[in-house]
Amino acid sequence: MDLETFWFCLIAVLWAGYFVLEGFDFGVGMLLPVVSRTDEERGTLLKTIGPVWDGNEVWLIVAGGATFAAFPAWYATMFSGFYVALLLVLVCLIVRVCSFEWRTKSESPRWRAAWTWANTIGSLGAALIWGIGLSALLHGTPIDSDGEFAGGLSDLFSPYTLVAGVAVVLLFAFHGATFLTLRVTGELAERAARTTRRLALPAAAATAVAIAWTVVVAMDRNDKELFPSALPAGLGIAALALGVAFVFTGRTGRAFAMTALATISFVATLFVGLYPRVMVSSPSFENSLTVDGAASSHYALTVMSVVAVIFVPIVLLYQGWTYWVFRKRVAGERVEPAQPV
């Protein structure tokens, strides 16, 4: 494997990690009005992700930084062409950050309700845009012969990218619901379990369609064969089926593992279908950006690889330690036992 391919794979891993970890963050945010009934319960749900949500954002920052350093041409074209979409994502993320920090600054019910909804809307909006934006890399956007984006915001939208965006929203909500079943107690845990059962079939169906469609788009728009894109796609669809089965048999821990695996498989299917290109050009396919053509110099990639080998394991160990420290459940409202008649 050459360094260009290594860094393409590493960026795919970073996006997969971001989707898995921030996915349940977004899912919890989207489910705040669904699972909770009182302000205290909403506070409990936010506590489940309070110690880790900002650390999960690091995966996005590293993915963006790695793209800038390893594939400057890809970074330049994508960030200029997707400028409005990325700005909307930034607004959604900023709104979420503010909701965590400002929600408890006042005891006013309206104040707290407003920031709760801000978290929900920010979570849903960011998930939707990420799904549309990443799938647009494969479906194709207008790129001229100089490698510059030649379209507008509307070029990101197609039936496939919209389905992918909705699928990511549902998958993250499903992922977040399974996460809550492992992190809360009492009535909140029961409601989270019911929500998981309600989301299981629609989320699995939508995500399976998006994954299968990704393979078709890779063959149609990126001149790919059925394999190897079908391998992560098959794994993802199998994980979704197992996740649904585990939900309805009460094996919530295994269900959470399967939603995480399905999320990883969706990202893997997208990046496997994209390789050896980083952005597909449509309608002028010959203007597509390739891994080799968009990469930095060999020396730069070599230095970056040494740095990555040293520091990535340290970051992983630190984040793993963080999850271990905050592994215990967050207590919800206690369910009083029924009094004998």
Side-chain angles (χ1 to χ4, degrees):
M1 180 188 295
D2 57 30
L3 288 177
E4 292 80 4
T5 302
F6 169 78
W7 275 95
F8 179 82
C9 293
L10 180 57
I11 289 171
V13 169
L14 291 170
W15 276 107
Y18 174 68
F19 267 41
V20 168
L21 298 177
E22 194 76 325
F24 66 72
D25 271 2
F26 288 153
V28 171
M30 285 186 269
L31 295 176
L32 285 174
V34 178
V35 176
S36 61
R37 295 289 182 271
T38 65
D39 183 68
E40 290 75 16
E41 289 182 343
R42 286 185 280 276
T44 299
L45 295 187
L46 290 174
K47 287 178 183 178
T48 64
I49 57 175
V52 297
W53 67 266
D54 49 354
N56 295 341
E57 298 279 359
V58 172
W59 289 75
L60 174 62
I61 297 170
V62 176
T67 304
F68 172 78
F71 300 98
W74 181 14
Y75 180 93
T77 303
M78 181 172 65
F79 274 68
S80 61
F82 294 13
Y83 180 82
V84 176
L86 292 173
L87 179 62
L88 291 174
V89 168
L90 184 61
V91 170
C92 290
L93 296 180
I94 291 174
V95 167
R96 286 187 77 241
V97 172
C98 292
S99 71
F100 283 111
E101 300 297 331
W102 292 357
R103 180 180 172 276
T104 57
K105 298 301 182 182
S106 172
E107 297 296 328
S108 168
R110 289 187 178 182
W111 173 271
R112 295 200 168 198
W115 285 112
T116 298
W117 277 105
N119 193 299
T120 298
I121 295 170
S123 300
L124 190 152
L128 179 65
I129 298 169
W130 281 135
I132 292 173
L134 286 183
S135 59
L137 295 175
L138 177 62
H139 187 266
T141 54
I143 301 175
D144 63 24
S145 57
D146 295 324
E148 297 181 0
F149 186 80
L153 179 64
S154 61
D155 292 298
L156 303 184
F157 296 95
S158 68
Y160 162 65
T161 61
L162 290 173
V163 168
V166 172
V168 168
V169 169
L170 290 173
L171 178 59
F172 283 3
F174 186 26
H175 192 37
T178 59
F179 172 79
L180 285 176
T181 62
L182 302 175
R183 296 288 286 121
V184 295
T185 62
E187 179 65 21
L188 272 178
E190 295 177 10
R191 286 196 221 116
R194 288 197 297 269
T195 303
T196 303
R197 290 191 290 271
R198 288 197 295 266
L199 283 171
L201 290 176
T207 307
V209 169
I211 290 175
W213 202 345
T214 298
V215 176
V216 174
V217 170
M219 297 170 61
D220 180 53
R221 313 278 290 193
N222 198 29
D223 196 27
K224 296 282 290 187
E225 300 293 335
L226 179 61
F227 294 96
S229 299
L231 295 179
L235 180 63
I237 293 173
L240 290 167
L242 287 172
V244 172
F246 289 145
V247 163
F248 285 100
T249 55
R251 300 176 180 179
T252 53
R254 295 183 180 182
F256 176 73
M258 289 302 103
T259 57
L261 181 57
T263 303
I264 293 171
S265 299
F266 175 76
V267 177
T269 303
L270 184 63
F271 275 83
V272 170
L274 189 59
Y275 186 83
R277 276 159 278 278
V278 293
M279 284 187 73
V280 174
S281 176
S282 177
S284 302
F285 182 69
E286 65 276 7
N287 293 336
S288 300
L289 300 182
T290 63
V291 170
D292 291 336
S296 295
S297 67
H298 182 80
Y299 177 78
L301 294 177
T302 301
V303 174
M304 290 168 55
S305 298
V306 173
V307 173
V309 168
I310 295 173
F311 288 101
V312 169
I314 296 175
V315 173
L316 292 177
L317 287 172
Y318 175 77
Q319 190 157 30
W321 175 78
T322 302
Y323 276 93
W324 175 256
V325 169
F326 295 103
R327 67 190 182 277
K328 293 184 179 180
R329 290 177 180 263
V330 179
E333 292 185 358
R334 184 173 181 269
V335 179
E336 297 292 340
Q339 297 295 327
V341 178

